[in-house]
Amino acid sequence: MPSVQWVWVSQALRLSAKPKPPTIRPPYRQPFQVGINRNRSNSIRQADRPSEKPIRSHYDNNYIGSVRTLNMIEGRLAAAMADKDLPPVVYGGLKREELHRTGSVILHELYFGALGGNGVAAGDIRTELGSAFGSHEAWEAEFRRTAMALAGGSGWCVLAFNLHTNSLHNYWAWDHMHQPAASVPLLTLDMYEHAFHMDYGTAAAKYVDAFMANLDWEEVDRRFRKYRLACVLGDGFRWHRFPISNFTSIT
């Protein structure tokens, strides 16, 4: 898959110090690339930013590690299809790991890709969160409570757009494989301790504060508009909550 240019949350990182991508054999997945949006980063108080070390470790070890493992698993699955005597339980184990690593890669890309903003919600997503939860503040309170329900353990807090119900919802995910059917994640918050313990120790609430203060809501809004449009066009206007006349072009 082609690389994508993403926004990096920490202004401390230098462009010359980008993580080196692992060697991947086509057609397996390539890791997404990171960059710095200095204009947005300058609007964030230094005290509110995670430091470079945990972000670097998170990217290099957890995200890149999952990319490497996913590519290895895909190769083994391809080889396993040529072995007629391979026990089903072995193939099933590979498929389970494929699901686990796919979730890890995608959730981490959505996580890193939504960082680097000023934390101020705007656009259609803010309006629709207000409609779904009563107000944007009510949505944020529920999102934060869902995240803190995972503190001290592991998992993801996910704001998703459910294509079946045509609704926005916050979901609690114990691991990389927990995702409601027909839902598309728009915003993902990694609550595994590797994401925050270097900066915040066990003070998960401070990490959540920093995450919210650094969100790039333009990116979250772009994701929402993309999938909202797909929902309407792909389902024959089954739901009428989002009239097509309100849509703008999606790039």
Side-chain angles (χ1 to χ4, degrees), residues 11-60:
Q11 190 180 18
L13 290 176
R14 298 293 182 263
L15 289 173
S16 60
K18 289 182 181 179
K20 295 181 179 180
T23 301
I24 307 295
R25 293 180 300 129
Y28 303 130
R29 187 177 185 87
Q30 298 284 346
F32 79 115
Q33 302 299 304
V34 296
I36 301 174
N37 187 320
R38 296 186 182 279
N39 292 330
R40 288 179 184 163
S41 295
N42 287 338
S43 67
I44 305 169
R45 293 189 302 115
Q46 183 66 44
D48 292 333
R49 291 196 197 100
S51 62
E52 176 182 352
K53 186 176 180 180
I55 296 172
R56 171 74 66 185
S57 175
H58 195 176
Y59 181 92
D60 287 347

Side-chain angles (χ1 to χ4, degrees), residues 94-148:
L94 290 171
K95 292 297 289 185
R96 181 189 182 282
E97 190 63 23
E98 178 190 41
L99 178 63
H100 177 80
R101 294 298 174 173
T102 298
S104 177
V105 168
I106 293 172
L107 291 168
H108 277 104
E109 291 187 1
L110 292 171
Y111 170 82
F112 287 120
L115 292 173
N118 60 14
V120 179
D124 292 352
I125 185 64
R126 180 182 176 91
T127 301
E128 293 305 329
L129 284 172
S131 297
F133 289 84
S135 67
H136 181 80
E137 292 71 23
W139 164 79
E140 183 174 329
E142 211 273 335
F143 186 84
R144 286 173 176 269
R145 177 164 288 191
T146 302
M148 290 305 297

